Amino acid sequence: MKEIWNGRLDGWEQCDLRIWQVIKDINEFSKTDKGSKFAFIGYNTDTGVKRNLGRVGAAKGSDEIRKGLKSLPAIENTTLYDYKNLKEFSTEKAQEEYSYKVKDAFDKNIFPIGLGGGHDIVYGTYSGIRKSHPNKKIGIINFDAHLDNRPYDNGRTSGTSFKEILDNDKNVKYAIVGFQKAGNTKRLIDTANAHNVLILPEAIEESRINDYLREFIKDVDIVYVTFCMDVFDAAIAPGVSAPTPLGLDSKKGRNILLSILGSNKVVALDFAEVNPDYDIDSRTAKLTARLIYEAIDNLKK
């Protein structure tokens, strides 16, 4: 990872440091490490995207997000780790490997941040949370243009995670922020309604979305937030598997995320579908990195 974790050098005094200068390999973890602890876990596969007939390339997203993070200023009172990337790439095996990395992070009292990769990362993150919190009521908040609740009879894809989770775990609630009616068939919407999904379209004003989510969060024990970066307008985030015209504004998305984090119930966060092959000037990767940076700066408080 040294070829990625390097960047602009202003000096080695504390006030000059950038993320690439302070991040640690997970093998360097110590219980005596100071401050709030966060880990980047790469989900560097897009097999699920290919199965879902999407445009491939998101497998490269994990490292591209790291590049977006590396020269951002170091965040005080935190220790950052890199869990590196996956060894398994087929969807089911990748999800299982990823879930154990998430559980290991919990065991070490580290907050996991996923870097994807296909949005099938969701099932991996959920599985890791469930391994560590078998009896907690989980609220999953998905920033996404698409419901991702397709049938999984023929195997998992980037669009099946939520249906499989909701079908098999009655102690989970699901909310989607940035929903686009034009991106979802009637069957997908009917399936969501049958599972009592809280659907919050992109057009709803920010304050109302926050109000709905506050009520949603009250009814759960812990919260997991996931971003499919195609939730954002295609002009802002062109480097995704399925770009969205008239998508969510980035500042609105950031503000909603920070409001959710203010609940003090969020235990995991991930970002998916960053596809460098279609990005322009690394806009999508840089936006993802900025959201991660602001999330860490908020959570460490």
Side-chain angles (χ1 to χ4, degrees):
M1 286 293 175
K2 288 184 178 179
E3 67 277 9
I4 293 177
W5 291 120
N6 61 74
R8 181 170 180 170
L9 177 63
D10 293 341
W12 288 95
E13 291 187 52
Q14 192 66 35
C15 59
D16 293 321
L17 297 178
R18 298 175 185 274
I19 286 177
W20 72 268
Q21 294 170 272
V22 299
I23 194 161
K24 293 183 170 187
D25 188 289
I26 190 57
N27 295 323
E28 300 175 66
F29 169 79
S30 169
K31 291 182 179 179
T32 61
D33 288 337
K34 296 180 180 179
S36 300
K37 300 174 179 64
F38 300 87
F40 305 131
I41 309 176
Y43 189 81
N44 55 319
T45 177
D46 57 7
T47 305
V49 176
K50 185 176 182 180
R51 290 183 185 179
N52 201 30
L53 305 181
R55 58 184 189 177
V56 297
K60 305 171 189 174
S62 304
D63 287 348
E64 200 67 17
I65 298 168
R66 289 183 174 96
K67 291 175 184 177
L69 285 162
K70 66 181 182 180
S71 290
L72 295 178
I75 302 172
E76 291 183 321
N77 302 316
T78 65
T79 301
L80 304 180
Y81 306 94
D82 192 340
Y83 266 76
K84 302 181 181 178
N85 290 332
L86 299 171
K87 295 179 181 178
E88 299 286 350
F89 303 109
S90 67
T91 305
E92 291 80 6
K93 289 184 178 180
Q95 290 167 333
E96 185 70 1
E97 180 187 347
Y98 185 86
S99 73
Y100 280 103
K101 288 189 174 187
V102 170
K103 182 182 183 300
D104 185 59
F106 287 137
D107 291 345
K108 291 180 169 69
N109 197 31
I110 299 173
F111 187 101
I113 300 176
L115 314 178
H119 206 201
D120 39 289
I121 192 175
V122 167
Y123 200 84
T125 304
Y126 155 78
S127 298
I129 294 171
R130 195 43 99 203
K131 285 180 173 70
S132 294
H133 303 285
N135 300 312
K136 297 285 189 181
K137 187 172 186 179
I138 304 172
I140 305 179
I141 301 176
N142 178 28
F143 284 75
D144 203 335
H146 311 99
L147 286 160
D148 284 356
N149 58 355
R150 296 174 182 275
Y152 49 92
D153 310 64
N154 296 318
R156 295 173 185 160
T157 76
S158 61
T160 61
S161 291
F162 293 102
K163 188 174 192 304
E164 184 170 2
I165 292 168
L166 293 170
D167 281 350
N168 296 288
D169 190 338
K170 302 307 178 186
N171 212 20
V172 172
K173 291 182 64 177
Y174 171 30
I176 180 170
V177 178
F179 168 84
Q180 295 275 349
K181 186 177 180 181
N184 296 271
T185 64
K186 184 177 184 299
R187 182 182 295 278
L188 296 174
I189 296 169
D190 289 345
T191 300
N193 289 332
H195 284 102
N196 297 312
V197 175
L198 174 60
I199 299 176
L200 300 171
E202 174 276 330
I204 297 180
E205 62 185 39
E206 181 183 317
S207 61
R208 287 186 62 207
I209 290 176
N210 287 335
D211 288 342
Y212 280 117
L213 290 175
R214 273 190 286 270
E215 291 303 310
F216 175 89
I217 291 170
K218 282 180 184 178
D219 191 43
V220 299
D221 300 315
I222 55 177
V223 174
Y224 154 41
V225 180
T226 180
F227 276 79
C228 182
M229 292 302 290
D230 70 22
V231 72
F232 294 107
D233 189 83
I236 300 168
V240 294
S241 300
T244 302
L246 304 178
L248 190 68
D249 174 75
S250 57
K251 290 181 180 178
K252 181 178 178 180
R254 184 269 313 271
N255 294 343
I256 296 168
L257 170 62
L258 295 183
S259 177
I260 295 166
L261 298 180
S263 70
N264 295 318
K265 288 188 177 183
V266 179
V267 299
L269 179 63
D270 59 43
F271 297 82
E273 306 283 348
V274 175
N275 189 330
D277 289 350
Y278 298 92
D279 215 354
I280 300 171
D281 195 28
S282 300
R283 288 181 201 169
T284 312
K286 289 176 181 177
L287 171 59
T288 307
R290 180 63 181 272
L291 290 170
I292 292 171
Y293 185 89
E294 297 210 19
I296 292 174
D297 197 40
N298 181 278
L299 284 165
K300 58 102 175 178
K301 299 173 184 176

